[in-house]
């Protein structure tokens, strides 16, 4: 099994796409944090901002990604994505829209690009990558965690053409993810199920 890594990438220049380990640290960016399936984050350089929860802290417009370590020791991209912005209190456009159950339907605007089929197969066992609302969490500004931000209304708010869902290898897409939050002040956390690690954004 190849090592999976989740990364911080600068908005303009990619600082690192490597699945870095101690042996390769001389070629690694200091903004990389490493994970492997079923394990905790093993390394996060001091220059990479992390929260008290251990998540990599991001700003809107910054990119992040997931890679696998190739046979030659270099990283192979699985997906790179950018959370561009968050729209508070989204106005639903679907004719079957439902009111928020938690209080606020919030739209996360995402751009993403996936890597080649080989790295995709290695990381995802041949499955597509999915921006699943179930992989998101929310902690309000008082530290209270929402039980779930994936409720029925998030699937019935916008037309499916506006949403970013499943992506195969070597694809580019942009779209929205709708979440049901109890507050519009706090921290959004995204931790895909294939990683034992996460990113977070303050809103």
């Amino acid at each position: 099994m190849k090592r999976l890594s989740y990364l911080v990438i600068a908005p303009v220049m990619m600082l690192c796409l490597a699945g870095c380990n101690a042996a390769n640290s001389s070629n690694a960016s200091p903004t990389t944090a490493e994970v492997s399936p079923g394990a905790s984050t093993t390394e996060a350089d001091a220059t990479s901002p992390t929260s008290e929860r251990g998540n990599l802290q991001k700003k809107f417009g910054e990119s992040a990604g997931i890679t696998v370590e190739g046979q030659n020791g270099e990283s192979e991209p699985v997906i790179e994505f950018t959370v561009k912005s968050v729209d508070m209190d989204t106005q639903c456009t679907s004719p079957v829209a439902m009111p928020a159950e938690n209080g606020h339907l919030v739209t996360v605007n995402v751009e993403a690009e996936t890597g080649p089929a080989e790295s995709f197969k290695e990381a995802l066992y041949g499955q597509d990558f999915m921006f699943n609302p179930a992989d998101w969490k929310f902690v309000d500004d008082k530290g209270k965690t929402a039980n779930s931000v994936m409720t029925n209304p998030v699937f019935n708010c916008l037309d499916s053409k506006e949403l970013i869902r499943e992506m195969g290898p070597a694809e580019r897409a942009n779209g929205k993810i709708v979440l049901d939050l109890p507050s519009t002040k706090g921290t959004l956390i995204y931790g895909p199920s294939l990683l034992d690690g996460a990113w977070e954004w303050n809103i």
Side-chain angles (χ1 to χ4, degrees), residues 15-188:
L15 296 180
C16 182
L17 283 178
C20 307
N21 55 35
N24 296 331
S25 60
S26 61
N27 298 321
S29 164
T31 56
T32 300
E34 296 181 45
V35 297
S36 57
S40 299
T41 299
T42 58
E43 181 179 337
D45 191 279
T47 59
S48 296
T50 56
S51 71
E52 59 186 357
R53 289 172 285 271
N55 302 324
L56 294 176
Q57 294 177 307
K58 303 294 293 177
K59 296 179 181 179
F60 297 119
E62 291 183 339
S63 297
I66 299 169
T67 68
V68 291
E69 185 178 332
Q71 294 183 0
N72 59 1
E74 296 183 358
S75 64
E76 299 174 356
V78 177
I79 187 166
E80 298 170 24
F81 69 93
T82 302
V83 174
K84 305 293 290 185
S85 62
V86 173
D87 297 332
M88 306 299 182
D89 293 315
T90 299
Q91 298 299 310
C92 295
T93 57
S94 170
V96 293
M98 305 164 62
E101 293 182 7
N102 293 336
H104 305 271
L105 291 175
V106 170
T107 301
V108 182
N109 300 298
V110 175
E111 291 182 352
E113 181 173 0
T114 54
E118 182 179 354
S119 59
F120 230 68
K121 182 178 180 180
E122 182 68 26
L124 303 175
Y125 307 100
Q127 303 296 313
D128 286 347
F129 185 89
M130 182 177 182
F131 283 98
N132 191 338
D135 290 334
W136 293 77
K137 294 171 58 178
F138 178 75
V139 180
D140 70 17
D141 58 351
K142 296 179 175 59
K144 184 177 180 180
T145 302
N147 291 332
S148 174
V149 297
M150 186 186 72
T151 59
N152 287 332
V154 308
F155 298 105
N156 298 295
C157 180
L158 302 177
D159 188 283
S160 60
K161 294 179 181 179
E162 298 183 64
L163 304 176
I164 186 168
R165 291 278 178 85
E166 296 183 359
M167 296 181 67
E171 293 182 357
R172 299 180 67 182
N174 61 77
K176 304 174 185 294
I177 303 163
V178 182
L179 305 175
D180 192 348
L181 307 185
S183 171
T184 57
K185 293 183 179 180
T187 302
L188 277 176

